[in-house]
Amino acid sequence: MSIPQGDHTGGAIRKEAAIALDPLLPQLRRCQHQALLLISALQALHSRLRASIDHKQIEICVLFFLPRIYRCIPASAIRIIFQILHTVSGIAGEEKVLCLAASRAAMVGLPLVQGLTVSIHSASIQLQQDLIVIILPLGISFYTFQIMSYLIDVYRGDADVQKNPLMFGTYVTFFPQLIAGPIVKYRDIDDQLSHREHNVALFSRGIKTFIAGFCKKVIIANSAGAVFEDLTSLPDAHQTVVGAWLAIIMYSFQLYFDFSAYSDMAIGIGRMFGFEFMENFNYPYISKSITEFWRRWHISLSTWFKEYVYIPLGGSRVEKRSRAWFNIFAVWALTGIWHGASWNFLFWGLYYFAFLVIEKSFLKKYLDKAPNVIKHIYTLVIVLFGWLLFCFTDISQGFVHLG
């Protein structure tokens, strides 16, 4: 079976893969039936893909559905993937994209399970779900909050009405922080939209901050994410308790360094344009309580909910304690929903609501007397279990993985 030709790098990768996988050819012959089903499934997916979306989005969709197909094909069928992708690619220029995506997936070691369970019907349903995800507006949770900030600040009199549509559009759609924050309150940036300083020193600081964030993302976050994916993709028979805990720790590293990296890059680009945004993370994993953790994690989100939800509801300055608990409950229920339209995010928000109430009720006085190492371990354990809720859409799957 021939392997499609591409650029020099792609050809070298495919040649190495073919040499390494030659010993698996007997298994490939034994799974001819599965391979034929795979071809049919891929052809059906490709036809549906071309009929459903614009051709320019082909690469995005490949990155969504290709790993899912890889997880359910026999290990011995890797080599045939290249020929199949070449066969089903009818759009000029797509062969390179598809084959390189397959090569990358094979190189990073996506787990392959013996036996093929893909059906055309289920694959079509999955592809429809992926397409729905793709067409959701990018950054909707961030720019929605920024528009709300403008409306609330103007209503309260904390900022003047912005009569210049270009300035208002710049605030709402400012690209550095549009997708991943930090969330910018309108009153904090109102003056900067029309009056800001540009100089070499500020631009240089912006470059340094951007590079620091870029390195955090590429070197640390991506590496931790790759370890997490490898550990969670192992077959159940190879899972261990230590490996499960290590996976959650790696996920916590990925989440922090990924999110804080995007914030740093946004702050850096903002400085290059003369804007100053608030710091979004302040070493949250050194916290000694959950209360402190949320003063250090995603600071722009915490302050947004505090100023626009918690304080207007009455905050802690209410007569009845039950009312104060309700105010905290409302904030954390909304925080969970803000992160995603799934039950696990709501439970994740309520999880932190419970621990914050416990700390405010009685636990804080004991934590204040405890050694710093005990407080630090307590906080990290609570945070790790929180990321377990955050990571797995199916909560039961998360606890099964950890157990």
Side-chain angles (χ1 to χ4, degrees), residues 35-101:
L36 290 174
L37 289 177
L38 175 63
I39 295 173
S40 299
L42 281 175
Q43 288 175 335
L45 281 171
H46 184 264
S47 299
R48 190 172 187 85
L49 190 65
R50 295 188 64 181
S52 300
I53 65 170
D54 188 89
H55 293 167
K56 293 179 181 179
Q57 296 177 332
I58 183 73
E59 182 177 355
I60 299 175
C61 292
V62 166
L63 296 178
F64 270 99
F65 76 78
L66 188 59
R68 290 174 171 81
I69 296 173
Y70 259 69
R71 290 190 180 96
C72 58
I73 64 174
S76 54
I78 300 176
R79 189 180 180 189
I80 201 174
I81 287 292
F82 301 108
Q83 181 62 36
I84 294 170
L85 290 174
H86 180 72
T87 301
V88 300
S89 296
I91 304 172
E94 284 182 18
E95 295 87 349
K96 180 180 178 180
V97 172
L98 291 167
C99 291
L100 288 179

Side-chain angles (χ1 to χ4, degrees), residues 15-29 79:
K15 184 177 180 180
E16 292 176 4
I19 295 173
L21 293 169
D22 277 339
L24 297 176
L25 286 177
Q27 293 182 355
L28 181 60
R29 294 189 184 96
R79 189 180 180 189

Side-chain angles (χ1 to χ4, degrees), residues 208-397:
K208 290 179 181 179
T209 304
F210 177 86
I211 292 176
F214 181 79
C215 291
K216 285 165 67 175
K217 165 63 179 172
V218 174
I219 298 175
I220 304 178
N222 288 0
S223 299
V227 175
F228 170 74
E229 289 292 338
D230 289 342
L231 290 172
T232 54
S233 300
L234 289 173
D236 292 340
H238 297 158
Q239 294 280 3
T240 64
V241 174
V242 174
W245 276 102
L246 180 60
I248 294 301
I249 293 172
M250 288 296 103
Y251 181 73
S252 68
F253 284 164
Q254 179 196 12
L255 206 60
Y256 168 64
F257 286 106
D258 192 275
F259 203 175
S260 64
Y262 281 120
S263 294
D264 289 344
M265 287 188 279
I267 293 170
I269 295 176
R271 283 176 180 162
M272 296 181 203
F273 287 99
F275 290 92
E276 281 291 346
F277 301 142
M278 68 182 302
E279 293 291 336
N280 210 18
F281 292 86
N282 184 24
Y283 305 103
Y285 289 146
I286 69 170
S287 303
K288 300 180 181 65
S289 68
I290 298 302
T291 303
E292 182 185 357
F293 176 81
W294 279 103
R295 289 173 182 160
R296 295 174 174 272
W297 180 277
H298 206 340
I299 301 171
S300 64
L301 178 67
S302 301
T303 56
W304 195 99
F305 274 113
K306 178 182 178 181
E307 295 185 20
Y308 294 129
V309 178
Y310 183 64
I311 293 177
L313 287 175
S316 59
R317 298 180 180 180
V318 290
E319 296 181 0
K320 296 182 179 180
R321 175 170 291 188
S322 59
R323 175 66 187 188
W325 296 158
F326 171 79
N327 294 342
I328 299 174
F329 169 83
V331 167
W332 284 99
L334 291 173
T335 300
I337 295 171
W338 180 85
H339 279 85
S342 177
W343 284 108
N344 67 303
F345 294 116
L346 176 59
F347 292 144
W348 173 79
L350 298 181
Y351 170 84
Y352 277 109
F353 156 73
F355 278 100
L356 288 170
V357 168
I358 291 171
E359 285 189 1
K360 291 179 182 295
S361 298
F362 65 89
L363 188 59
K364 186 177 183 300
K365 61 182 180 182
Y366 297 107
L367 286 175
D368 291 340
K369 299 176 183 179
N372 286 339
V373 64
I374 299 299
K375 293 187 283 188
H376 189 59
I377 292 174
Y378 151 78
T379 303
L380 288 179
V381 170
I382 299 302
V383 169
L384 286 177
F385 273 103
W387 293 143
L388 187 68
L389 291 172
F390 191 89
C391 175
F392 292 94
T393 305
D394 185 347
I395 299 175
S396 60
Q397 178 188 355

Side-chain angles (χ1 to χ4, degrees), residues 124-140:
S124 299
I125 293 175
Q126 182 62 57
L127 182 57
Q128 288 177 347
Q129 294 173 348
D130 290 341
L131 290 177
I132 292 173
V133 173
I134 292 173
I135 63 175
L136 287 176
L138 293 174
I140 185 171

